[in-house]
Amino acid sequence: MEIDVSISALIPSYLGTRQVGCGTATLRGRSSCENEKLLGSVVVGRTTLWEDVGWVVFAKSVAPNAGTSPMKFIFPRFRTETWTVQPAPHLLVLDNIECQKSVGDQDSKAQMPPDSRRWFGMLIKNRRIVSANEHSSSAAPNPKHITSPSQQLDDPASLIPPKSVLDELVDLYFRLIHDGPHTLFHEPTFVSNLASNLVPPGLVFAVIALAARFSTNEYFHDNPQGYATKYAAAALELLQKEMVRPSLETVQGYILISQHLGGEGDAKAKHICTGLARLHCQSLRLWETEGLSLLDQELRRRTYLSVVITGKWSSADMSVAPVRAEYPPENLLLLDEEDFLALRLKLPRHGIWAQMAKTIDLFREILDVIIRLGTGGPLATQIGEVNRLADRLDRWEYELPRVLKYSSENFEYFQGIGFGKTFLAMHIGYHHYRQLLYFPFLDPRNDDPLAFECKKHAMMVSEIASRGGELVYYIIGHILVVSSSVHLHTLLLGGGDVDKARIYLLSNFDILMRLKKYWPVIDSAVGRLRSFQNHCRVSPLKSFLLDDWMWKFLMEQSAVLGEERGSKNAAREPLVNDEDMSNDALVESALSWLLD
């Protein structure tokens, strides 16, 4: 049964509440059941693009045989033509919604902002209002509970998952990601602001884009990676609207999205987002904190530090020399982790991030050495620089507070207060810098004792990565590939502890297989390792020469070097760990297992 409903629309101006246009339109629809009355009101859903919540008020009940009855739609200030409804229990199902005549007049149009003018001549188009308990295939999906990440939705806010799922994702983010590759938030404040709807939606999407891949919640229909991609796209869409309006939140959002893109293997897009984070950071001068509250000071300093760290890794991935920081990161007065969590103003004693800040410039200088050697510079010309950087790393490790030295006891302490992964991130970074610094000396033609130093630190990388599954962000995969190539040197060319190298290589492969489930870029990393192994077979004496191919192998986390990987759909056999296998056969078996 079809009925006509006449609607009056009142559309206030951006500049005040003065009405600038009204008119009537006809909605042609059908009742969901005979003699059902339309009662109550409908709330227009809050969207990320609106300043206010809108209300749609039905002035009168509508009976199927009552003919036309007026209803009033009141819209507050708005920015786009997109709106959604959250229906009351008893509603009409409206189809083929058409505008009977334009709303407003030509004079009114001139007073309306451009986005508002789109409403003239089109009140609502191709929308349906459905019963809240409607589950038929013809019903439009509730935008708060989408069924597929591939749905094309007009409003990014409709992608926000239900509160229970959102809370789970935020918990996953802080448990698995935050304070590993970056430090951006004060967790209690972020969670409180989220509950009060004070976190910008673009930032919410960026957070859950990193976290969703780790979720096993049935809400994601066994496709959390698809939802992560959709959340990242929504975050980028909203961040683009703020591209020329920098804020602390836009800096944080761009950092998060850059790390999502890095995990996807999109190095160029990652580098662009990293650059935008830095530009916003520069315009805000985040390193300047005088006169701010303790919380605001610490958030600005930590976000600035994260911009610098992310920029260094992104430059390496693009094979370009990192730029110097605007303000020396080591001069940031960061609180110790437990004091920051409790917002206690105390003199720094053993802050992990404060110690990591001291090594960032060393990383830049190590990359400079690798670039010079990889582009034709003779090793002999860099020996002095290598020794100087090694001395600085020695001094950094020597000056670490006792509680920050690498040991099981210290790891358990920081794990107990929620900073285990931060402790491990600091140490795996240090040993990665060392394995990079000494890698050129693995060339068998050099026969240099520094090759053993490289192997020692590569084993420490494997040892730290195996600690309790704490480190699960994608850069760990790249660090382990470099470590594995050093273990390959021991297994295939000799020198060093062969038994330990074998154990650590298998441990690396096991971790890479776990990371592969979450980060598509790990496929490229393992593919590089396969290509490297093939080079070792063909020409072992030249395989560790730091040529153009090799320095990209060491620096670029997203590079695709060598042959394509095999089909993902092939059945995977278990990793073979037969002690009687030759080292070469073991490596071949393990890489085949990883690449299938």
Side-chain angles (χ1 to χ4, degrees):
M1 178 180 297
E2 294 190 350
I3 60 172
D4 291 337
V5 180
S6 179
I7 295 179
S8 294
L10 306 179
I11 308 179
S13 165
Y14 264 97
L15 303 177
T17 58
R18 183 170 59 88
Q19 178 183 329
V20 297
C22 64
T24 61
T26 297
L27 302 184
R28 184 172 298 279
R30 64 179 184 276
S31 61
S32 55
C33 64
E34 192 167 349
N35 298 323
E36 182 181 28
K37 292 184 177 181
L38 181 64
L39 303 173
S41 63
V42 176
V43 180
V44 175
R46 180 190 294 271
T47 82
T48 59
L49 305 181
W50 288 9
E51 296 176 1
D52 302 302
V53 178
W55 298 82
V56 180
V57 180
F58 290 88
K60 292 185 179 181
S61 299
V62 179
N65 298 317
T68 299
S69 182
M71 295 186 296
K72 185 180 293 183
F73 280 56
I74 301 177
F75 294 86
R77 292 183 300 171
F78 56 90
R79 295 180 184 172
T80 76
E81 64 200 55
T82 301
W83 62 281
T84 57
V85 296
Q86 191 174 31
H90 304 288
L91 291 178
L92 302 177
V93 179
L94 301 176
D95 294 320
N96 303 321
I97 300 174
E98 298 175 354
C99 189
Q100 186 180 47
K101 71 179 199 178
S102 296
V103 180
D105 53 37
Q106 296 299 319
D107 292 335
S108 296
K109 290 184 185 180
Q111 303 177 54
M112 298 286 284
D115 282 342
S116 301
R117 293 174 196 166
R118 299 175 192 166
W119 282 85
F120 288 87
M122 180 179 69
L123 180 62
I124 312 169
K125 189 173 183 180
N126 297 327
R127 296 282 183 180
R128 290 187 300 168
I129 307 176
V130 300
S131 172
N133 57 7
E134 176 67 57
H135 297 291
S136 69
S137 60
S138 63
N142 186 335
K144 295 283 185 181
H145 302 278
I146 63 172
T147 58
S148 168
S150 62
Q151 282 181 276
Q152 295 300 312
L153 299 171
D154 296 316
D155 174 20
S158 59
L159 280 171
I160 293 287
K163 184 179 184 302
S164 61
V165 180
L166 179 60
D167 289 345
E168 175 197 302
L169 294 180
V170 170
D171 177 69
L172 282 171
Y173 166 75
F174 279 105
R175 185 155 46 88
L176 299 176
I177 298 294
H178 190 256
D179 274 320
H182 57 251
T183 176
L184 299 171
F185 307 114
H186 179 249
E187 182 178 354
T189 300
F190 184 92
V191 172
S192 174
N193 287 345
L194 183 68
S196 302
N197 294 320
L198 297 177
V199 181
L203 192 55
V204 175
F205 280 124
V207 166
I208 64 178
L210 283 176
R213 69 198 70 234
F214 299 105
S215 178
T216 57
N217 194 300
E218 61 183 11
Y219 174 81
F220 297 114
H221 304 286
D222 296 323
N223 185 23
Q225 188 69 42
Y227 281 81
T229 301
K230 200 70 175 178
Y231 293 152
L236 268 177
E237 180 181 335
L238 296 174
L239 283 168
Q240 285 171 356
K241 296 177 184 296
E242 306 299 324
M243 188 177 295
V244 294
R245 291 185 290 272
S247 65
L248 179 66
E249 291 80 10
T250 61
V251 178
Q252 294 166 335
Y254 278 123
I255 290 174
L256 294 170
I257 290 303
S258 74
Q259 295 184 347
H260 164 81
L261 292 168
E264 297 293 302
D266 193 342
K268 291 182 180 178
K270 176 186 71 173
H271 197 58
I272 290 170
C273 285
T274 301
L276 288 169
R278 185 179 182 190
L279 290 173
H280 282 215
C281 175
Q282 288 173 333
S283 65
L284 296 169
R285 300 182 71 84
L286 287 183
W287 55 90
E288 296 179 354
T289 60
E290 186 177 357
L292 300 176
S293 69
L294 179 64
L295 175 61
D296 289 340
Q297 286 183 356
E298 195 72 8
L299 287 176
R300 287 171 68 96
R301 289 167 181 163
R302 287 172 178 261
T303 300
Y304 169 69
L305 177 60
S306 299
V307 169
V308 175
I309 292 173
T310 304
K312 294 293 187 288
W313 281 97
S314 184
S315 295
D317 203 10
M318 296 296 293
S319 293
V320 296
V323 296
R324 289 186 178 274
E326 293 80 4
Y327 180 83
E330 61 271 22
N331 291 348
L332 294 170
L333 300 175
L334 297 174
L335 295 174
D336 292 352
E337 277 61 45
E338 55 266 50
D339 292 335
F340 175 48
L341 193 61
L343 289 180
R344 294 189 298 255
L345 180 57
K346 285 189 175 183
L347 290 175
R349 306 177 307 282
H350 51 253
I352 302 175
W353 283 103
Q355 296 298 329
M356 280 196 274
K358 298 176 182 179
T359 66
I360 295 173
D361 203 48
L362 285 170
F363 183 38
R364 179 187 64 82
E365 293 186 57
I366 290 168
L367 294 179
D368 286 344
V369 170
I370 291 174
I371 290 173
R372 286 195 291 270
L373 291 175
T375 53
L379 184 59
T381 64
Q382 299 300 314
I383 292 293
E385 185 69 2
V386 169
N387 289 333
R388 184 184 67 83
L389 292 172
D391 288 343
R392 289 181 62 188
L393 287 167
D394 285 339
R395 185 165 62 254
W396 177 86
E397 185 183 34
Y398 177 78
E399 292 176 353
L400 279 178
R402 183 175 179 180
V403 72
L404 291 183
K405 302 284 187 182
Y406 184 73
S407 70
S408 296
E409 179 184 1
N410 287 343
F411 168 60
E412 289 168 6
Y413 166 75
F414 282 104
Q415 190 178 42
I417 62 172
F419 294 98
K421 67 176 175 294
T422 316
F423 177 82
L424 295 181
M426 177 181 70
H427 284 285
I428 203 169
Y430 164 74
H431 289 288
H432 177 57
Y433 300 163
R434 287 283 205 177
Q435 69 178 4
L436 286 178
L437 184 62
Y438 295 133
F439 196 94
F441 299 95
L442 292 177
D443 187 340
R445 296 170 299 177
N446 293 328
D447 191 26
D448 196 292
L450 288 179
F452 290 94
E453 287 294 309
C454 183
K455 295 183 179 187
K456 179 178 74 175
H457 291 288
M459 288 187 177
M460 284 303 303
V461 164
S462 300
E463 154 70 19
I464 293 166
S466 65
R467 283 278 187 169
E470 291 271 349
L471 301 176
V472 294
Y473 46 96
Y474 78 93
I475 288 176
I476 297 301
H478 171 71
I479 292 173
L480 289 179
V481 164
V482 175
S483 168
S484 297
S485 69
V486 180
H487 300 328
L488 279 174
H489 184 286
T490 303
L491 292 179
L492 303 179
L493 301 176
D497 190 328
V498 174
D499 291 336
K500 273 192 175 181
R502 184 183 180 113
I503 292 169
Y504 281 133
L505 186 64
L506 292 176
S507 173
N508 285 1
F509 286 170
D510 186 57
I511 296 167
L512 286 167
M513 179 56 76
R514 293 202 301 270
L515 293 176
K516 202 178 152 182
K517 294 188 298 185
Y518 310 123
W519 308 105
V521 74
I522 301 299
D523 278 334
S524 298
V526 176
R528 292 195 299 275
L529 192 58
R530 160 73 85 182
S531 297
F532 179 71
Q533 180 220 10
N534 290 338
H535 288 315
C536 290
R537 285 174 163 178
V538 174
S539 183
L541 293 180
K542 293 182 180 179
S543 57
F544 286 84
L545 174 65
L546 197 56
D547 55 12
D548 182 69
W549 189 96
M550 197 67 216
W551 71 272
K552 289 180 179 178
F553 173 89
L554 294 175
M555 291 178 58
E556 297 183 8
Q557 308 115 54
S558 308
V560 177
L561 304 173
E563 70 261 21
E564 298 289 335
R565 61 179 175 81
S567 171
K568 287 184 177 179
N569 299 322
R572 179 177 290 115
E573 298 296 332
L575 174 60
V576 177
N577 183 14
D578 185 348
E579 293 183 359
D580 293 330
M581 291 176 68
S582 69
N583 290 327
D584 189 61
L586 172 73
V587 172
E588 172 62 28
S589 172
L591 283 171
S592 297
W593 176 71
L594 268 170
L595 286 166
D596 280 344

